[in-house]
Amino acid sequence: MSELVAGANVALPEGALAVRVSGPFDVCALVTDDSGKVGGDGDFVFYNQPTAPGAGLRGDTLTLEPARLRAGATRVTVVVSAAEPGEPPARPPAPTLQVTDRQGRPLARFTPPPARQETVLLLAEVYRRGGVWKLRALGQGYADGLAGLARDFGVEVADDGTAPPPRAASAPAPAPAPGPHPDGFLGPVNSARAAAGSRPVSLDARLVSAARAHAAVMAATGRLDAVGADGVSVHQRVTAAGFRYLAVGEHLVSGPRTPAEFIGYCLRTDRARHTLHGPAFTHAGLAHAKDGRTGDVFWTALWASPLTPAGLAGTEAEVVDRTNRERERAGLRPFAVDPLLATAARAHSADMAARSFYSHTSPEGGRPWDRAAAAGSARRTIGENIACGQRSPAEVVEGWMHSPGHRANILKPAFTHIGVGFAGGGPSGTYWTQLFGA
């Protein structure tokens, strides 16, 4: 049986599978295609709609027959929520997922890291890759519950604790746009972005919620800081609100009295203007809070693009491509991508973001070669580069190349294969891992 960590995967045998999450949890499943979107009402399996082609829910056990899923389906995402509405699902006992084959033989088990504010948890996904069905451990939470699922999977669900039947949407439902004077914010912002050749952004309720929380903490202490007095970073507030991002930027400002003044302030300096114009961003959130002692107004603006499987794969592939360009300049053969090293690299980046550490050694003492072996790699020589805080593949590869130790790994002739992993969140906002093998 495979003991999985977040991001790890394992191949599955043919035939029926039983996926069980015992304890005080509600289990449901979403059947999607490669786009990650449901195709209709029947793709959401939960206690009021317990069957779909190839999937059936009975109590705490989901039975799957991947070969019998509806046409075009390539993924089934297993979701859990606390049986008690509003209760974080990772409070003791933890939601441990156990997968068995048709004979009841154990195949895999996964217990995610503890959640904070999340009320709904994407626990794992069964997906098809190259004609083979696999199980991937996820452990991704949504602080805003079923509404978060609606935005990411194209399902509209009333999040009132009664879980009425879902209604499929042709595209994710737009998030409401709370916040200070949204009309006075988006108009000037998108005009400035258009002048710079960037596409418009839309307000996202999750980003607004995170911005509001961070602005309030700064106002309470009278201090601008990416990490609040409560020890929570602005990026951790974004992920806690249920927004998984591929790219992120922020403005932390005090002084302006209106959104227009705030935007004007951001356009006056190169660095702040670069963030406001960021072509990768598609969503934004703005909030302010007043320091009751001084009257100073503290602003938080958040800019982000959502994490998608295709976007993540593209980001990691760009890191590989830029790394190979450096090897070619040095007269070395380019790295070949090793999917097992990539699995281990992605899991380490996700672990660092989730547990707020930055090290080649995990809190349990695991080292790069341990993680490679756990992912199934048999490579004899392993090396690792990590980085945090860089906002793009270009920035992270450039940083590694300006560091002698990291550069040595990239240009080591003995290394032949590479895996790259990215994760957003944690105190630093972004976490990157390169795992090398020979």
Side-chain angles (χ1 to χ4, degrees):
M1 181 178 68
S2 298
E3 293 280 356
L4 302 180
V5 298
N9 66 68
V10 62
L12 297 170
E14 295 183 359
L17 307 165
V19 180
R20 184 185 182 207
V21 185
S22 59
F25 309 108
D26 287 331
V27 181
C28 62
L30 293 135
V31 181
T32 61
D33 55 21
D34 285 333
S35 72
K37 300 294 186 293
V38 298
D41 293 357
D43 282 349
F44 190 31
V45 179
F46 66 120
Y47 65 84
N48 273 351
Q49 184 172 273
T51 61
L57 179 65
R58 185 173 183 178
D60 61 6
T61 301
L62 176 72
T63 301
L64 294 176
E65 293 186 68
R68 296 186 58 240
L69 293 173
R70 55 106 172 151
T74 58
R75 185 180 308 159
V76 179
T77 304
V78 180
V79 181
V80 297
S81 58
E84 184 68 25
E87 183 82 359
R91 288 188 180 173
T96 297
L97 174 140
Q98 300 181 71
V99 182
T100 56
D101 65 11
R102 67 173 72 192
Q103 282 80 36
R105 292 174 297 202
L107 300 174
R109 183 168 59 191
F110 171 58
T111 302
R116 294 184 178 181
Q117 298 171 300
E118 295 89 347
T119 58
V120 171
L121 191 69
L122 272 62
L123 199 53
E125 63 181 4
V126 174
Y127 66 101
R128 187 173 63 200
R129 182 66 53 81
V132 176
W133 286 91
K134 298 184 176 184
L135 171 76
R136 177 184 290 119
L138 297 175
Q140 170 61 39
Y142 287 90
D144 50 355
L146 291 176
L149 291 179
R151 283 185 290 267
D152 281 1
F153 288 89
V155 178
E156 295 181 4
V157 181
D159 191 12
D160 60 1
T162 60
R167 177 164 58 88
S170 58
H181 311 294
D183 292 339
F185 175 62
L186 277 189
V189 160
N190 284 330
S191 293
R193 288 176 62 83
S198 297
R199 56 186 167 177
V201 294
S202 59
L203 284 181
D204 184 278
R206 296 161 292 178
L207 295 179
V208 172
S209 174
R212 184 181 295 122
H214 200 72
V217 170
M218 292 193 299
T221 58
R223 179 166 57 94
L224 290 172
D225 201 326
V227 179
D230 56 359
V232 181
S233 77
V234 66
H235 308 105
Q236 289 171 308
R237 298 189 205 283
V238 173
T239 54
F243 194 106
R244 298 177 69 200
Y245 56 81
L246 189 64
V248 69
E250 68 283 335
H251 289 112
L252 308 177
V253 177
S254 66
R257 298 286 171 170
T258 66
E261 288 181 14
F262 170 81
I263 294 165
Y265 176 91
C266 293
L267 290 172
R268 284 201 295 270
T269 62
D270 288 342
R271 184 173 180 179
R273 185 168 56 249
H274 177 77
T275 298
L276 189 146
H277 289 162
F281 301 138
T282 57
H283 295 76
L286 177 73
H288 67 266
K290 182 180 290 188
D291 183 339
R293 298 159 298 179
T294 65
D296 291 338
V297 179
F298 287 79
W299 296 80
T300 299
L302 295 168
W303 315 84
S305 60
L307 181 71
T308 63
L312 178 60
T315 293
E316 293 170 348
E318 185 179 347
V319 173
V320 174
D321 181 63
R322 290 180 177 275
T323 299
N324 278 336
R325 289 184 215 169
E326 299 295 341
R327 283 181 66 87
E328 291 167 355
R329 290 191 188 102
L332 300 171
R333 294 183 63 182
F335 289 123
V337 174
D338 184 326
L340 298 177
L341 295 180
T343 293
R346 186 177 292 176
H348 189 54
S349 290
D351 194 27
M352 289 190 292
R355 295 201 284 173
S356 303
F357 75 96
Y358 177 65
S359 175
H360 293 288
T361 304
S362 74
E364 294 79 20
R367 304 297 298 276
W369 40 89
D370 300 319
R371 293 188 285 274
S377 174
R379 299 199 178 278
R380 293 171 295 175
T381 305
I382 296 293
E384 185 179 76
N385 285 345
I386 58 175
C388 63
Q390 295 82 1
R391 301 304 174 91
S392 68
E395 186 179 342
V396 72
V397 173
E398 181 181 5
W400 279 326
M401 290 301 295
H402 282 86
S403 167
H406 298 96
R407 180 186 178 92
N409 271 342
I410 289 173
L411 301 183
K412 185 172 181 176
F415 287 143
T416 57
H417 289 74
I418 190 174
V420 171
F422 166 85
S428 297
T430 59
Y431 292 81
W432 308 80
T433 301
Q434 286 181 317
L435 203 57
F436 309 96

